[in-house]
Amino acid sequence: MAEPLNIALAGLGTVGTGVVRLIETNAELIARRARRPIRIAAVSARDRTKDRGVDLSRYDWVDDTAALAARDDVDVVVEMVGGSDGPALALARNSIAGGKGLVTANKAMIAHHGLELAAAAEANGVALKFEAAVAGGIPVIKGLSEGAAANAIERVYGILNGTCNYILSTMEDTGADFGDVLAEAQRLGYAEADPTFDIEGIDAAHKLSILAAIAFGSQLRFDAVETMGISRVKAADIEQARALGYVIRLLGMAGVDTASGSPRLFQRVRPHLVPIDHPLAHVDGATNAVVAEGNFMGRLLFQGAGAGDGPTASAVVADIIDIARGEKSAAFSMPAGELEAMEPAASGHRVGSAYIRFTVPDRPGVLADITAAMRDAGVSIESLIQKGDPDQDGEVILAIVTHPGPESAVTEAMRILDGSDSLTAKPLVMQIIGA
């Protein structure tokens, strides 16, 4: 058998210790599949004394994480420090510049700096791998860049954040409101103490921008992802969606828009109403799922655990095995210099139906004001639902589903109603996806 592939691990949190445990548990199987042993040469983390549930005494401990990039006995650096910049980015740059392969689960760093790192990896003849950065243990990056490589991908979309999916599906099951379910998710460890990146859609936007670059051969444009999270979704919205035959899911959605003549990149993360007969409607809990539609393959569904030490560590080690086999293909499926610079696509001309929830005072004339705004903006109403009796503040929930039409018309209706005394809160607009 060939010489071992020596790796250094930076970051020993849940995933980092999962990588150690996996390599130790499946060492013989991994060596056979990689055609050489995988050997941990060094590890680094902030706290040497912390009990991580694995025996690290056999590995060389390095206090200065940055020093891993300079070690002669390391072939590949595995970065699990986290953060888009700072120590993680410095380690990534120095590792690649030093001729070492880089494996990372850091979606924020790849979303912000992936193009730079990919170009550097190509220039230095080393591999850059980040399967674990998107959808945990689901091999969606490999599926798109290898399994679907012969297809023109028309659209990629899916459930990219397990925390949000857990919250929304639990709201469905229990009828509880957002704040109560978030608190429970934090208690159970599904949500961070500061859940902003998850519940406001930023984490999903990082992942979507990476998938879009691979799917469409475009340069990364995280800055152009239209992003809205789930913090404004109420139990009443879940209830109304169910009555209409839908569930609510936070979806990331990307495609190439040619309406203006030149290709433009459409990227959006926001809650959607999903028909109950759509595959994504049945993805519950902390599960992730990605749908890719290609011109010859049709619709593919990738589904599985989107986080956790086991699934994410599995994706990290799979990348290490690829490098051990000599795999050094382009990080984004084609050379970094060939990725197309696409301008962001405007969404106003996109045609579809929408669910709009209004919170209104319980008094005459409110409905007339809203329907007049819809009429003036050219929005056709398919159905209207008012939730029972007013609440303790004298407010009523009013939900409207529109007929298919341009999104710009709904935007104009919201502009007309902005500041109206017929509304007591900003309306919530959610698009409805087709089956």
Side-chain angles (χ1 to χ4, degrees):
M1 188 172 287
E3 289 294 312
L5 180 80
N6 295 316
I7 69 169
L9 297 176
L12 292 168
T14 301
V15 177
T17 54
V19 169
V20 174
R21 191 175 295 112
L22 176 54
I23 289 175
E24 290 180 345
T25 302
N26 290 353
E28 182 180 346
L29 176 64
I30 289 170
R32 287 164 55 199
R33 288 179 173 164
R35 299 190 287 276
R36 58 194 296 196
I38 306 298
R39 173 180 169 268
I40 300 173
V43 297
S44 180
R46 283 179 295 191
D47 185 358
R48 185 191 289 249
T49 63
K50 181 179 179 180
D51 181 8
R52 295 174 169 84
V54 293
D55 181 11
L56 300 172
S57 62
R58 72 192 77 181
Y59 310 123
D60 190 8
W61 183 281
V62 178
D63 289 314
D64 181 8
T65 297
L68 296 176
R71 289 180 65 107
D72 292 333
D73 62 342
V74 169
D75 304 305
V76 175
V77 172
V78 181
E79 183 278 315
M80 288 168 290
V81 176
S84 61
D85 298 285
L89 181 59
L91 178 62
R93 286 170 170 165
N94 292 338
S95 298
I96 291 171
K100 302 183 190 327
L102 181 72
V103 175
T104 181
N106 189 338
K107 81 279 288 183
M109 182 178 72
I110 296 300
H112 286 277
H113 304 287
L115 188 60
E116 170 207 331
L117 295 175
E122 292 167 20
N124 286 277
V126 297
L128 169 63
K129 299 283 186 180
F130 44 84
E131 182 69 67
V134 179
I138 308 172
V140 62
I141 290 176
K142 189 180 289 288
L144 289 176
S145 60
E146 297 180 15
N151 281 256
I153 305 299
E154 296 162 349
R155 185 166 66 145
V156 60
Y157 61 100
I159 295 167
L160 301 174
N161 184 271
T163 298
C164 288
N165 207 57
Y166 172 83
I167 291 171
L168 291 172
S169 58
T170 301
M171 289 173 69
E172 288 170 17
D173 294 340
T174 65
D177 225 328
F178 172 82
D180 295 330
V181 179
L182 172 59
E184 179 68 4
Q186 290 172 312
R187 188 185 70 80
L188 295 173
Y190 289 117
E192 301 286 345
D194 179 0
T196 304
F197 263 46
D198 291 319
I199 65 172
E200 298 304 337
I202 300 168
D203 174 81
H206 283 144
K207 297 169 183 175
L208 181 68
S209 66
I210 296 169
L211 287 178
I214 294 169
F216 310 122
S218 59
Q219 293 182 7
L220 284 153
R221 288 299 309 267
F222 167 72
D223 63 312
V225 182
E226 300 176 20
T227 306
M228 183 177 80
I230 66 168
S231 57
R232 296 182 58 225
V233 176
K234 297 177 177 289
D237 298 316
I238 302 283
E239 181 183 341
Q240 304 287 28
R242 180 187 289 116
L244 294 166
Y246 300 94
V247 298
I248 297 175
R249 295 288 183 265
L250 182 75
L251 300 183
M253 188 173 295
V256 176
D257 190 333
T258 58
S260 64
S262 60
R264 291 177 175 265
L265 185 61
F266 172 74
Q267 301 176 100
R268 172 188 283 168
V269 171
R270 67 187 309 163
H272 288 70
L273 268 66
V274 181
I276 57 173
D277 58 349
H278 191 284
L280 294 182
H282 305 284
V283 178
D284 297 323
T287 304
N288 282 193
V290 177
V291 177
E293 297 174 355
N295 62 339
F296 274 74
M297 69 188 184
R299 177 189 285 178
L300 294 181
L301 173 66
F302 303 86
Q303 181 175 339
D309 58 342
T312 309
S314 174
V316 169
V317 177
D319 279 346
I320 297 170
I321 290 172
D322 276 350
I323 295 175
R325 292 169 173 168
E327 164 62 40
K328 295 180 183 178
S329 61
F332 292 95
S333 189
M334 62 180 64
E338 296 181 15
L339 295 172
E340 187 172 0
M342 294 187 194
E343 290 299 313
S347 57
H349 66 275
R350 298 178 69 86
V351 174
S353 297
Y355 165 96
I356 310 170
R357 182 251 291 154
F358 300 95
T359 307
V360 302
D362 183 36
R363 62 169 175 76
V366 167
L367 182 57
D369 289 345
I370 292 174
T371 54
M374 294 292 176
R375 178 202 63 213
D376 294 346
V379 177
S380 175
I381 298 173
E382 178 182 287
S383 59
L384 185 151
I385 306 172
Q386 180 173 316
K387 182 184 177 183
D389 297 326
D391 62 18
Q392 60 185 3
D393 296 319
E395 295 178 336
V396 173
I397 297 294
L398 182 68
I400 286 175
V401 174
T402 72
H403 282 291
E407 292 184 14
S408 59
V410 173
T411 301
E412 174 62 12
M414 298 304 100
R415 187 197 65 77
I416 294 171
L417 288 167
D418 187 34
S420 169
D421 60 5
S422 290
L423 304 181
T424 59
K426 181 180 178 181
L428 175 65
V429 179
M430 293 186 282
Q431 302 302 316
I432 301 174
I433 71 167

